[in-house]
Amino acid sequence: MNAVYSGTVTMAETTQKEALIRIPMNENVLNQTIFPRPANNCEVYVIANLPAGTAIPDNTSIESLKQMVIETDFKSATTQPSFIMEGQGIASVIDRNKVQAASGTIPMDRLAAKLTVRISLDESYTDTKTSLTWTPVKESLKVSLRNASSNTTIGGSMGNKLFSYEERGSNDTLEETVEGKTVTRYLFNPFYSYPREWEFRSPDALAFYVSLPWKCEDEGTEKFEYCYYKVFPNTTQLTPNNWYNIDLNIGVLGTFNQNEEPVVVENLTYQVVDWKN
């Protein structure tokens, strides 16, 4: 059914995990419409961070609200100022006879998924066919994400508008100790996508694409080749509010022609965690 009360609240921007939102309400609405005696609890459904100008449907039932289609241009900025979120919970009357108020905590989940990739590089690679030793040009390492989804419903249904990010370079490095050895991982700003599904390693599968130039000395002449790689996450589905991370190592030459199918990187570690904070 439609909500017995609905409205929009504007609050200051915050980066806190928790925020207090006060909703001014007419005393009659509070005591007679939302909490007619003897009711002391009500259900609250919240949508947060909708773009300005988004029209709320006349039918304010939760089912109708969850059918609202949204679209976000994730690739227009390397960092997102906010994420559309939704949540549901209970509010309770606070001492009806003394304080004309009700209060509740509504846990919120982002509709988007977050994806990150961290890349380590071997110091060199020797081609057994040519006996040439190649070294990676680390500062020119670049990554893009293809076949992410820019649309979904408030209820988190799978999106069908696919887009690809432009290549981006590493913005930081991280030193880690792995099996007694120091490993340098190249980090990149996060990528985002709304929920979607795909067939395993199909043409429209979500995947990272990596470009990395290598150089070698061949009969006294320095030679450069750009190499291309593809990295599949170990899943066929993205779900809301999850953080997907891939750690991978590149230690071989990739495809030299960017118009050919890239070499698939298999040497990786894959993690999925709840995107809490």
Side-chain angles (χ1 to χ4, degrees), residues 121-125 134-143 167 210-216 223-229 250 252-256:
L121 303 172
D122 283 1
E123 291 300 319
S124 64
Y125 170 75
W134 297 79
T135 57
V137 184
K138 300 176 181 179
E139 63 272 16
S140 297
L141 174 68
K142 294 187 183 299
V143 169
E167 280 192 327
V210 181
S211 66
L212 173 66
W214 293 74
K215 63 182 180 178
C216 73
K223 182 179 179 181
F224 284 85
E225 288 286 359
Y226 261 91
C227 289
Y228 301 93
Y229 309 84
I250 295 178
V252 298
L253 299 178
T255 305
F256 285 175

Side-chain angles (χ1 to χ4, degrees), residues 219-238:
E219 297 181 352
T221 302
E222 194 169 54
K223 182 179 179 181
F224 284 85
E225 288 286 359
Y226 261 91
C227 289
Y228 301 93
Y229 309 84
K230 182 188 287 189
V231 184
F232 291 104
N234 190 24
T235 184
T236 57
Q237 177 176 310
L238 294 182

Side-chain angles (χ1 to χ4, degrees), residues 40-52:
N40 289 314
N41 298 314
C42 77
E43 189 172 29
V44 180
Y45 181 68
V46 181
I47 302 170
N49 298 331
L50 282 176

Side-chain angles (χ1 to χ4, degrees), residues 24-277:
M25 193 174 295
N26 179 281
E27 187 174 313
N28 288 334
V29 172
L30 184 72
N31 285 321
Q32 298 175 21
T33 304
I34 300 180
F35 299 104
R37 293 181 184 272
N40 289 314
N41 298 314
C42 77
E43 189 172 29
V44 180
Y45 181 68
V46 181
I47 302 170
N49 298 331
L50 282 176
T54 302
I56 302 298
D58 294 334
N59 183 346
T60 56
S61 68
I62 291 177
E63 181 179 355
S64 176
L65 293 173
K66 286 192 173 186
Q67 294 304 311
M68 290 175 58
V69 177
I70 56 170
E71 186 169 358
T72 301
D73 182 12
F74 287 122
K75 67 179 182 179
S76 64
T78 54
T79 58
Q80 297 298 317
S82 64
F83 294 92
I84 298 173
M85 309 175 80
E86 62 99 33
Q88 199 165 337
I90 299 296
S92 301
V93 172
I94 302 173
D95 196 343
R96 188 193 294 267
N97 295 322
K98 294 182 179 179
V99 181
Q100 305 298 327
S103 178
T105 298
I106 314 301
M108 307 292 291
D109 286 332
R110 302 170 187 84
L111 299 183
K114 176 180 178 180
L115 300 104
T116 52
V117 61
R118 311 190 310 172
I119 300 177
S120 60
L121 303 172
D122 283 1
E123 291 300 319
S124 64
Y125 170 75
T126 300
D127 188 338
T128 57
K129 293 181 180 180
T130 63
S131 298
L132 295 176
T133 298
W134 297 79
T135 57
V137 184
K138 300 176 181 179
E139 63 272 16
S140 297
L141 174 68
K142 294 187 183 299
V143 169
S144 66
L145 179 67
R146 299 186 190 178
N147 293 326
S149 175
S150 63
N151 75 326
T152 185
T153 63
I154 296 294
S157 64
M158 299 297 167
N160 56 11
K161 287 192 175 181
L162 304 184
F163 72 97
S164 296
Y165 285 87
E166 300 295 328
E167 280 192 327
R168 59 178 61 164
S170 172
N171 65 312
D172 203 356
T173 58
L174 174 68
E175 302 288 334
E176 288 188 330
T177 301
V178 180
E179 297 179 352
K181 297 181 180 180
T182 300
V183 175
T184 300
R185 300 198 187 277
Y186 292 83
L187 311 182
F188 302 82
N189 284 323
F191 299 86
Y192 304 100
S193 173
Y194 283 127
R196 64 159 306 216
E197 294 178 336
W198 60 89
E199 297 293 329
F200 182 70
R201 298 197 174 185
S202 62
D204 71 340
L206 181 137
F208 286 102
Y209 284 70
V210 181
S211 66
L212 173 66
W214 293 74
K215 63 182 180 178
C216 73
E217 190 171 298
D218 185 8
E219 297 181 352
T221 302
E222 194 169 54
K223 182 179 179 181
F224 284 85
E225 288 286 359
Y226 261 91
C227 289
Y228 301 93
Y229 309 84
K230 182 188 287 189
V231 184
F232 291 104
N234 190 24
T235 184
T236 57
Q237 177 176 310
L238 294 182
T239 54
N241 213 56
N242 273 353
W243 179 358
Y244 300 81
N245 179 69
I246 297 176
D247 290 340
L248 64 103
N249 181 76
I250 295 178
V252 298
L253 299 178
T255 305
F256 285 175
N257 188 337
Q258 64 178 328
N259 296 319
E260 296 178 359
E261 187 65 15
V263 168
V264 176
V265 178
E266 305 286 1
N267 185 14
L268 56 84
T269 303
Y270 174 75
Q271 303 104 18
V272 182
V273 296
D274 189 7
W275 182 11
K276 288 283 188 185
N277 194 358

